[in-house]
Amino acid sequence: MLTHGQIWRAVDQLAELHGLSTSGLARRAGLDPTTFNRSKRITTDGRPRWPSTESIAKALDATGTSVEHFFALLEPARASHFDASGFGEERIPMKGVPYSIPQIGFAQAGSGGFFGDAGFPVGSGWDEIVFPEVNDPHAYALEIVGDSMLPVYRNRAVVVVSPKADIRHGDRVVVKTREGEVMAKELVRKTARQIELRSLNPVYEDRQIPLDQVEWMARIIWASQ
């Protein structure tokens, strides 16, 4: 039997997986911002108030989350093995043990619906590849098309990106701007106002991007050769 606490805990975890507050989750679902607030979980006379099926359905649709994934969030032991991708399957990052990670092309990465506010993979439309070793449950793969990243990354090369990994100067990173541009470059410097990026292909110009124009930045941890 489901409990009041299980349902609300799953709502909280759903919001967290997508880098949202409960108010942010409600807004994304087209609901009143207070729908999932803690103050709405108990009535004025002290009785438990449950979220409606409609509000849960809208939240799942807005985040691209399957029903199976949401039910997994009801069980903490299983929920820790799921990420924001909504694929409805366990993704357990264990050293030396291969498992599937989501993959799309760079062009798709620039369009909407594939990433949450925190830069984690969400929604549908992803392919999958088997990757042998990664310690980030939010890791994903991007397929490069074209010559803009030669000679470091060739056409059709695949890079694995980790939103969880720490980023230092000199790291190769994938950056998405608020305008939807996605690029792979080397991080030269990050200041309080901007990031400076060096192009991997000298034919292409280096970039300086104001921080308020950066939607997310994540480190490349592996590339096919």
Side-chain angles (χ1 to χ4, degrees), residues 118-153:
F120 298 158
V122 298
S124 58
W126 295 79
D127 292 326
E128 293 185 356
I129 64 170
V130 175
F131 189 69
E133 186 175 309
V134 67
N135 293 319
D136 183 354
H138 300 296
Y140 57 90
L142 296 174
E143 182 183 35
I144 294 168
V145 178
D147 65 353
S148 65
M149 299 166 203
L150 289 172
V152 180
Y153 304 130

Tab-separated table of all heavy atoms in Angstrom, residues 118-153:
chain	number	residue	atom	x	y	z
A	118	ALA	N	19.277	21.664	-15.089
A	118	ALA	CA	20.599	21.420	-14.529
A	118	ALA	C	21.561	20.816	-15.549
A	118	ALA	O	22.699	20.504	-15.211
A	118	ALA	CB	20.494	20.498	-13.322
A	119	GLY	N	21.122	20.653	-16.814
A	119	GLY	CA	21.987	20.080	-17.827
A	119	GLY	C	22.000	18.570	-17.827
A	119	GLY	O	22.872	17.954	-18.448
A	120	PHE	N	21.022	17.931	-17.150
A	120	PHE	CA	20.931	16.477	-17.144
A	120	PHE	C	20.062	16.019	-18.321
A	120	PHE	O	19.120	16.711	-18.709
A	120	PHE	CB	20.302	15.965	-15.851
A	120	PHE	CG	21.097	16.292	-14.611
A	120	PHE	CD1	20.475	16.322	-13.380
A	120	PHE	CD2	22.452	16.570	-14.679
A	120	PHE	CE1	21.194	16.612	-12.222
A	120	PHE	CE2	23.183	16.866	-13.534
A	120	PHE	CZ	22.554	16.893	-12.309
A	121	PRO	N	20.337	14.844	-18.884
A	121	PRO	CA	19.508	14.344	-19.983
A	121	PRO	C	18.102	14.005	-19.517
A	121	PRO	O	17.924	13.381	-18.466
A	121	PRO	CB	20.258	13.082	-20.444
A	121	PRO	CG	21.060	12.657	-19.262
A	121	PRO	CD	21.436	13.921	-18.547
A	122	VAL	N	17.107	14.436	-20.261
A	122	VAL	CA	15.712	14.168	-19.920
A	122	VAL	C	14.954	13.826	-21.192
A	122	VAL	O	15.452	13.950	-22.305
A	122	VAL	CB	15.038	15.390	-19.243
A	122	VAL	CG1	15.728	15.735	-17.946
A	122	VAL	CG2	15.001	16.591	-20.167
A	123	GLY	N	13.709	13.414	-21.029
A	123	GLY	CA	12.806	13.242	-22.154
A	123	GLY	C	13.092	12.025	-23.007
A	123	GLY	O	13.877	11.142	-22.662
A	124	SER	N	12.445	11.988	-24.157
A	124	SER	CA	12.574	10.866	-25.080
A	124	SER	C	13.358	11.303	-26.306
A	124	SER	O	13.774	12.445	-26.423
A	124	SER	CB	11.181	10.371	-25.491
A	124	SER	OG	10.443	11.425	-26.091
A	125	GLY	N	13.562	10.375	-27.229
A	125	GLY	CA	14.269	10.689	-28.463
A	125	GLY	C	15.749	10.370	-28.423
A	125	GLY	O	16.466	10.580	-29.397
A	126	TRP	N	16.222	9.860	-27.284
A	126	TRP	CA	17.631	9.490	-27.161
A	126	TRP	C	17.851	8.079	-27.696
A	126	TRP	O	17.024	7.199	-27.514
A	126	TRP	CB	18.069	9.519	-25.698
A	126	TRP	CG	18.049	10.858	-25.039
A	126	TRP	CD1	16.966	11.524	-24.554
A	126	TRP	CD2	19.174	11.699	-24.765
A	126	TRP	NE1	17.342	12.720	-23.992
A	126	TRP	CE2	18.693	12.853	-24.100
A	126	TRP	CE3	20.547	11.582	-25.006
A	126	TRP	CZ2	19.533	13.883	-23.683
A	126	TRP	CZ3	21.387	12.596	-24.592
A	126	TRP	CH2	20.883	13.743	-23.942
A	127	ASP	N	18.997	7.858	-28.351
A	127	ASP	CA	19.475	6.504	-28.589
A	127	ASP	C	20.235	6.082	-27.339
A	127	ASP	O	20.350	6.843	-26.377
A	127	ASP	CB	20.406	6.463	-29.805
A	127	ASP	CG	19.659	6.744	-31.100
A	127	ASP	OD1	18.478	6.348	-31.199
A	127	ASP	OD2	20.253	7.352	-32.005
A	128	GLU	N	20.776	4.873	-27.365
A	128	GLU	CA	21.578	4.415	-26.234
A	128	GLU	C	22.828	3.709	-26.736
A	128	GLU	O	22.821	3.100	-27.807
A	128	GLU	CB	20.776	3.460	-25.341
A	128	GLU	CG	19.618	4.120	-24.607
A	128	GLU	CD	18.932	3.166	-23.647
A	128	GLU	OE1	19.319	1.977	-23.611
A	128	GLU	OE2	18.023	3.602	-22.937
A	129	ILE	N	23.896	3.827	-25.982
A	129	ILE	CA	25.104	3.066	-26.254
A	129	ILE	C	25.539	2.396	-24.953
A	129	ILE	O	25.200	2.854	-23.867
A	129	ILE	CB	26.256	3.942	-26.797
A	129	ILE	CG1	26.700	4.984	-25.750
A	129	ILE	CG2	25.875	4.606	-28.097
A	129	ILE	CD1	27.981	5.704	-26.122
A	130	VAL	N	26.270	1.307	-25.101
A	130	VAL	CA	26.822	0.633	-23.929
A	130	VAL	C	28.196	1.212	-23.670
A	130	VAL	O	29.062	1.251	-24.546
A	130	VAL	CB	26.911	-0.888	-24.157
A	130	VAL	CG1	27.600	-1.558	-22.962
A	130	VAL	CG2	25.523	-1.471	-24.354
A	131	PHE	N	28.373	1.706	-22.454
A	131	PHE	CA	29.642	2.329	-22.081
A	131	PHE	C	30.238	1.547	-20.923
A	131	PHE	O	29.532	1.202	-19.972
A	131	PHE	CB	29.430	3.785	-21.690
A	131	PHE	CG	30.700	4.559	-21.494
A	131	PHE	CD1	31.506	4.858	-22.581
A	131	PHE	CD2	31.101	4.947	-20.235
A	131	PHE	CE1	32.692	5.567	-22.399
A	131	PHE	CE2	32.275	5.663	-20.047
A	131	PHE	CZ	33.074	5.961	-21.138
A	132	PRO	N	31.537	1.244	-20.974
A	132	PRO	CA	32.110	0.307	-20.005
A	132	PRO	C	32.314	0.849	-18.600
A	132	PRO	O	32.311	0.087	-17.649
A	132	PRO	CB	33.465	-0.056	-20.639
A	132	PRO	CG	33.816	1.121	-21.484
A	132	PRO	CD	32.503	1.612	-22.023
A	133	GLU	N	32.502	2.160	-18.437
A	133	GLU	CA	32.875	2.627	-17.106
A	133	GLU	C	32.583	4.111	-16.948
A	133	GLU	O	33.105	4.940	-17.684
A	133	GLU	CB	34.370	2.381	-16.891
A	133	GLU	CG	34.869	2.682	-15.500
A	133	GLU	CD	36.328	2.294	-15.359
A	133	GLU	OE1	36.677	1.159	-15.696
A	133	GLU	OE2	37.117	3.146	-14.918
A	134	VAL	N	31.755	4.456	-15.981
A	134	VAL	CA	31.458	5.850	-15.700
A	134	VAL	C	30.909	5.939	-14.279
A	134	VAL	O	30.228	5.031	-13.810
A	134	VAL	CB	30.452	6.432	-16.717
A	134	VAL	CG1	29.093	5.788	-16.584
A	134	VAL	CG2	30.354	7.939	-16.590
A	135	ASN	N	31.233	7.012	-13.582
A	135	ASN	CA	30.796	7.160	-12.198
A	135	ASN	C	29.732	8.240	-12.036
A	135	ASN	O	29.523	8.734	-10.937
A	135	ASN	CB	31.998	7.487	-11.304
A	135	ASN	CG	32.969	6.330	-11.213
A	135	ASN	OD1	32.550	5.181	-11.104
A	135	ASN	ND2	34.255	6.612	-11.278
A	136	ASP	N	29.089	8.617	-13.129
A	136	ASP	CA	28.073	9.667	-13.085
A	136	ASP	C	26.770	9.113	-13.654
A	136	ASP	O	26.701	8.785	-14.838
A	136	ASP	CB	28.534	10.874	-13.910
A	136	ASP	CG	27.552	12.033	-13.849
A	136	ASP	OD1	26.467	11.875	-13.258
A	136	ASP	OD2	27.869	13.101	-14.403
A	137	PRO	N	25.713	8.980	-12.845
A	137	PRO	CA	24.446	8.456	-13.362
A	137	PRO	C	23.786	9.378	-14.370
A	137	PRO	O	22.842	8.987	-15.048
A	137	PRO	CB	23.589	8.309	-12.095
A	137	PRO	CG	24.164	9.297	-11.140
A	137	PRO	CD	25.635	9.308	-11.403
A	138	HIS	N	24.258	10.621	-14.490
A	138	HIS	CA	23.697	11.561	-15.452
A	138	HIS	C	24.536	11.664	-16.724
A	138	HIS	O	24.279	12.518	-17.572
A	138	HIS	CB	23.570	12.948	-14.818
A	138	HIS	CG	22.690	12.978	-13.608
A	138	HIS	ND1	21.352	12.701	-13.644
A	138	HIS	CD2	22.978	13.227	-12.305
A	138	HIS	CE1	20.843	12.795	-12.425
A	138	HIS	NE2	21.809	13.109	-11.597
A	139	ALA	N	25.551	10.826	-16.868
A	139	ALA	CA	26.424	10.886	-18.036
A	139	ALA	C	25.642	10.561	-19.310
A	139	ALA	O	24.664	9.811	-19.290
A	139	ALA	CB	27.589	9.916	-17.872
A	140	TYR	N	26.077	11.139	-20.416
A	140	TYR	CA	25.441	10.883	-21.709
A	140	TYR	C	26.488	11.026	-22.807
A	140	TYR	O	27.612	11.483	-22.567
A	140	TYR	CB	24.269	11.843	-21.949
A	140	TYR	CG	24.655	13.310	-21.872
A	140	TYR	CD1	25.075	14.008	-23.009
A	140	TYR	CD2	24.600	13.997	-20.663
A	140	TYR	CE1	25.435	15.348	-22.933
A	140	TYR	CE2	24.956	15.335	-20.586
A	140	TYR	CZ	25.369	16.001	-21.717
A	140	TYR	OH	25.732	17.320	-21.645
A	141	ALA	N	26.119	10.612	-24.006
A	141	ALA	CA	27.048	10.641	-25.130
A	141	ALA	C	26.526	11.561	-26.226
A	141	ALA	O	25.311	11.662	-26.446
A	141	ALA	CB	27.245	9.231	-25.694
A	142	LEU	N	27.453	12.230	-26.904
A	142	LEU	CA	27.131	13.078	-28.052
A	142	LEU	C	27.938	12.609	-29.248
A	142	LEU	O	29.137	12.341	-29.136
A	142	LEU	CB	27.478	14.546	-27.755
A	142	LEU	CG	26.697	15.240	-26.632
A	142	LEU	CD1	27.267	16.632	-26.386
A	142	LEU	CD2	25.220	15.328	-26.970
A	143	GLU	N	27.280	12.519	-30.387
A	143	GLU	CA	27.973	12.161	-31.623
A	143	GLU	C	28.315	13.441	-32.387
A	143	GLU	O	27.452	14.274	-32.651
A	143	GLU	CB	27.115	11.255	-32.503
A	143	GLU	CG	27.837	10.820	-33.772
A	143	GLU	CD	26.972	9.973	-34.683
A	143	GLU	OE1	25.745	10.241	-34.742
A	143	GLU	OE2	27.495	9.068	-35.334
A	144	ILE	N	29.576	13.577	-32.737
A	144	ILE	CA	30.058	14.769	-33.437
A	144	ILE	C	29.856	14.604	-34.934
A	144	ILE	O	30.123	13.546	-35.494
A	144	ILE	CB	31.544	14.999	-33.101
A	144	ILE	CG1	31.691	15.354	-31.623
A	144	ILE	CG2	32.150	16.079	-33.986
A	144	ILE	CD1	33.103	15.314	-31.121
A	145	VAL	N	29.389	15.666	-35.562
A	145	VAL	CA	29.212	15.673	-37.017
A	145	VAL	C	29.944	16.887	-37.581
A	145	VAL	O	29.776	18.008	-37.089
A	145	VAL	CB	27.714	15.734	-37.408
A	145	VAL	CG1	27.576	15.798	-38.916
A	145	VAL	CG2	26.972	14.524	-36.857
A	146	GLY	N	30.790	16.663	-38.580
A	146	GLY	CA	31.508	17.768	-39.205
A	146	GLY	C	32.958	17.839	-38.762
A	146	GLY	O	33.467	16.977	-38.036
A	147	ASP	N	33.627	18.918	-39.204
A	147	ASP	CA	35.067	19.046	-38.980
A	147	ASP	C	35.431	20.119	-37.958
A	147	ASP	O	36.609	20.418	-37.765
A	147	ASP	CB	35.772	19.363	-40.299
A	147	ASP	CG	35.356	20.732	-40.868
A	147	ASP	OD1	34.437	21.357	-40.308
A	147	ASP	OD2	35.952	21.148	-41.867
A	148	SER	N	34.444	20.681	-37.278
A	148	SER	CA	34.727	21.823	-36.407
A	148	SER	C	35.594	21.456	-35.208
A	148	SER	O	36.148	22.340	-34.554
A	148	SER	CB	33.423	22.462	-35.927
A	148	SER	OG	32.697	21.566	-35.117
A	149	MET	N	35.712	20.160	-34.919
A	149	MET	CA	36.487	19.747	-33.749
A	149	MET	C	37.731	18.945	-34.098
A	149	MET	O	38.372	18.354	-33.231
A	149	MET	CB	35.578	18.978	-32.792
A	149	MET	CG	34.427	19.839	-32.300
A	149	MET	SD	33.121	18.924	-31.493
A	149	MET	CE	31.737	20.052	-31.713
A	150	LEU	N	38.059	18.904	-35.408
A	150	LEU	CA	39.318	18.293	-35.828
A	150	LEU	C	40.484	19.136	-35.332
A	150	LEU	O	40.343	20.351	-35.145
A	150	LEU	CB	39.365	18.200	-37.362
A	150	LEU	CG	38.441	17.176	-38.035
A	150	LEU	CD1	38.484	17.369	-39.541
A	150	LEU	CD2	38.833	15.761	-37.659
A	151	PRO	N	41.635	18.573	-35.101
A	151	PRO	CA	41.985	17.148	-35.235
A	151	PRO	C	41.728	16.348	-33.981
A	151	PRO	O	42.034	15.152	-33.942
A	151	PRO	CB	43.483	17.226	-35.526
A	151	PRO	CG	43.945	18.391	-34.710
A	151	PRO	CD	42.824	19.402	-34.784
A	152	VAL	N	41.158	16.976	-32.942
A	152	VAL	CA	40.963	16.266	-31.673
A	152	VAL	C	39.841	15.245	-31.788
A	152	VAL	O	40.002	14.085	-31.403
A	152	VAL	CB	40.662	17.275	-30.542
A	152	VAL	CG1	40.467	16.539	-29.223
A	152	VAL	CG2	41.798	18.286	-30.418
A	153	TYR	N	38.683	15.684	-32.323
A	153	TYR	CA	37.547	14.787	-32.489
A	153	TYR	C	37.138	14.774	-33.954
A	153	TYR	O	36.784	15.809	-34.516
A	153	TYR	CB	36.360	15.236	-31.626
A	153	TYR	CG	36.693	15.365	-30.158
A	153	TYR	CD1	36.359	16.524	-29.455
A	153	TYR	CD2	37.334	14.344	-29.469
A	153	TYR	CE1	36.653	16.655	-28.105
A	153	TYR	CE2	37.644	14.467	-28.121
A	153	TYR	CZ	37.301	15.626	-27.455
A	153	TYR	OH	37.603	15.757	-26.124
